[in-house]
Amino acid sequence: MAKKCGISTLLLFGVYALVMYVYIFHSNSGGIPVPLKGTVVDPHVFMSERELYLSEEYSKIKNFLYFVATPFEWIVYLFILITGLSQVFEKWTTVKKQWVFLQNALYLFLLSLFIFIVLFPLDYYRYSLSKNYGISTQTFNSWMRDNVIDFWVDFGTTVVIVTVLYWLINRNPKKWWLTASLLMIPFSIFIMFIQPVLIDPLYNDFYPLANKELETKILTLAEQTNIPAEHVYEVNMGEKTNALNAYVTGIGSNSRIVLWDTTLNRLSESEILFVMAHEMGHYVEKHIYFGITKSIITTLLGLWLTAKLMLWFIARFKHILKIKQINAIHSLPLFFLITSFLLFASSPLSNYISRYLEVRADEYAIELVEDPSAAVSTFQELTKAGLNEVNPPLLVKWFRYSHPTTLERIINVTNEIESKELEGR
């Protein structure tokens, strides 16, 4: 029965991958509407022929990888269950009952290591692809170092979460999801608080912005928007990527304004000020609290659905999945599989909300710096640096774009200009 289930899953995955390949590589979705050709939104206007070719090719490959990689991870989790490997990991890590934290840590280490090894070729291909297309500038040693840090940071936080989670499941197998959801609120806020000072510096070096004149202008904007910032930080991302970014991170006394050095080197001062005004827009409009609220709601619904689905799958397929009971640690791959699926399925809604907030931040930035031309050129430069599509296919936009497309962002700017002109008449 388990073998039949495995073969059926692989066949289904093959059909799905073929459908996505045809959709991404051979459909006519996306592209620039005819009335907008030759305008500032047309990539033929602001990108070279080589950039256009690389953008189209690179975007198709990375989008296809996204749509097949996540279901492939589900197959890995399913493989761990139906082969009994999860039970084997549990037996290998059996310790005295009072040392449950140690057992969970040992089990999770074996599970994480196995998944890391299985998915490593796919991760390495993504890295190689990004490097071949000129997005990544990172050496293999540096990339591996980041992967190892990722492994241990994820491992440490997951051990804590899983230990608490299974303790709650043991205490109340039917209502554990509610208490777990409530406990995730302070835990998430704590992670947001320590990330800028403890986690982020593990990957990169942060230091005060060297350009003090630019820092003064950024802090003046921050003062206008009541952001409690005394310094602007830059981070040495040029060692790893040619992409551009800036952000306001952290909460409370640990909040930071951060600029990538690639952004500083590639964008003009007016473009940098627009980018920073956009990030400040998120702060002023309390988008961090929108994010926290969304996280609370999605966690509550997600864990509730996960609890229901785990009980249903175990009741119906426990012999195939080789799960004896929900409170056994070897059921963890099923938990990961279901939560991963729910996150994937809910990403269109999550991205829709995120895109709305990004539009609001764009509108705030345009009002604050009063330089629409800087906004347009910024969006063009971001597109060129990341080899992004100006108007991606609909499914790609739904599942992948947490920001509006370049087409939408530039149209929003031009609409804003036109409305201002009408008001002035």
Side-chain angles (χ1 to χ4, degrees), residues 305-369:
L305 277 171
T306 301
K308 298 296 182 184
L309 289 171
M310 282 187 76
L311 288 171
W312 184 82
F313 275 111
I314 292 172
R316 186 159 184 177
F317 303 108
K318 64 180 179 181
H319 296 299
I320 296 174
L321 299 175
K322 296 181 172 58
I323 297 176
K324 295 178 180 177
Q325 51 196 22
I326 191 173
N327 61 347
I329 191 65
H330 65 255
S331 69
L332 186 60
L334 179 61
F335 176 86
F336 286 157
L337 192 159
I338 293 172
T339 53
S340 176
F341 174 81
L342 292 176
L343 284 171
F344 181 79
S346 64
S347 57
L349 177 59
S350 178
N351 286 336
Y352 176 83
I353 295 170
S354 177
R355 287 195 299 271
Y356 170 77
L357 298 181
E358 294 297 333
V359 168
R360 296 283 296 174
D362 280 348
E363 291 171 351
Y364 181 88
I366 293 167
E367 290 283 338
L368 184 61
V369 300

Side-chain angles (χ1 to χ4, degrees), residues 53-317:
Y53 171 75
L54 292 177
S55 170
E56 183 178 351
E57 192 176 65
Y58 178 63
S59 294
K60 286 179 178 179
I61 297 171
K62 70 177 182 179
N63 289 335
F64 178 70
L65 283 176
Y66 168 82
F67 279 104
V68 298
T70 304
F72 179 72
E73 289 179 25
W74 304 340
I75 292 175
V76 173
Y77 291 132
L78 188 61
F79 172 83
I80 293 169
L81 289 168
I82 65 178
T83 59
L85 196 57
S86 186
Q87 284 190 341
V88 171
F89 289 160
E90 184 180 35
K91 288 177 183 177
W92 286 354
T93 56
T94 300
V95 294
K96 292 181 179 180
K97 196 171 184 180
Q98 62 267 32
W99 293 355
V100 65
F101 181 84
L102 176 60
Q103 179 177 2
N104 290 343
L106 291 172
Y107 170 87
L108 194 60
F109 175 76
L110 292 178
L111 179 66
S112 301
L113 184 62
F114 178 83
I115 293 170
F116 178 86
I117 292 170
V118 172
L119 297 181
F120 182 82
L122 184 60
D123 292 335
Y124 178 74
Y125 178 72
R126 283 170 168 159
Y127 158 72
S128 300
L129 184 72
S130 180
K131 189 151 189 178
N132 290 339
Y133 280 87
I135 305 297
S136 174
T137 59
Q138 195 170 16
T139 64
F140 176 77
N141 288 342
S142 173
W143 178 75
M144 275 302 302
R145 177 181 176 275
D146 283 355
N147 270 271
V148 171
I149 293 172
D150 274 342
F151 178 89
W152 287 110
V153 170
D154 290 344
F155 172 74
T157 53
T158 308
V159 167
V160 174
I161 292 170
V162 166
T163 299
V164 173
L165 192 67
Y166 275 81
W167 178 75
L168 292 173
I169 292 173
N170 271 293
R171 285 176 61 87
N172 192 341
K174 292 186 178 180
K175 296 289 185 181
W176 60 268
W177 56 271
L178 181 58
T179 310
S181 301
L182 296 174
L183 289 176
M184 282 301 296
I185 298 171
F187 182 77
S188 298
I189 294 172
F190 173 72
I191 293 295
M192 291 171 66
F193 183 77
I194 67 167
Q195 183 160 343
V197 293
L198 292 180
I199 299 175
D200 290 347
L202 295 173
Y203 298 89
N204 297 98
D205 296 324
F206 292 78
Y207 35 88
L209 184 62
N211 186 336
K212 295 304 176 185
E213 184 180 343
L214 177 60
E215 182 181 47
T216 299
K217 292 180 179 180
I218 293 171
L219 291 177
T220 300
L221 285 179
E223 187 177 353
Q224 287 178 240
T225 54
N226 297 316
I227 294 178
E230 297 179 359
H231 299 286
V232 178
Y233 293 87
E234 60 180 287
V235 54
N236 61 330
M237 290 300 297
E239 298 175 358
K240 298 180 179 181
T241 182
N242 283 318
L244 313 178
N245 198 13
Y247 54 91
V248 178
T249 186
I251 55 175
S253 60
N254 279 0
S255 59
R256 282 184 173 183
I257 299 172
V258 180
L259 276 163
W260 286 12
D261 57 353
T262 51
T263 304
L264 290 165
N265 296 334
R266 183 156 177 169
L267 297 187
S268 67
E269 183 178 283
S270 60
E271 290 167 342
I272 291 170
L273 290 175
F274 173 79
V275 169
M276 296 315 302
H278 169 95
E279 297 304 328
M280 291 172 189
H282 286 304
Y283 182 91
V284 171
E285 298 216 351
K286 313 296 184 186
H287 290 172
I288 188 170
Y289 300 111
F290 274 89
I292 292 172
T293 303
K294 185 183 78 170
S295 177
I296 291 170
I297 294 171
T298 54
T299 299
L300 184 65
L301 290 174
L303 287 178
W304 173 72
L305 277 171
T306 301
K308 298 296 182 184
L309 289 171
M310 282 187 76
L311 288 171
W312 184 82
F313 275 111
I314 292 172
R316 186 159 184 177
F317 303 108

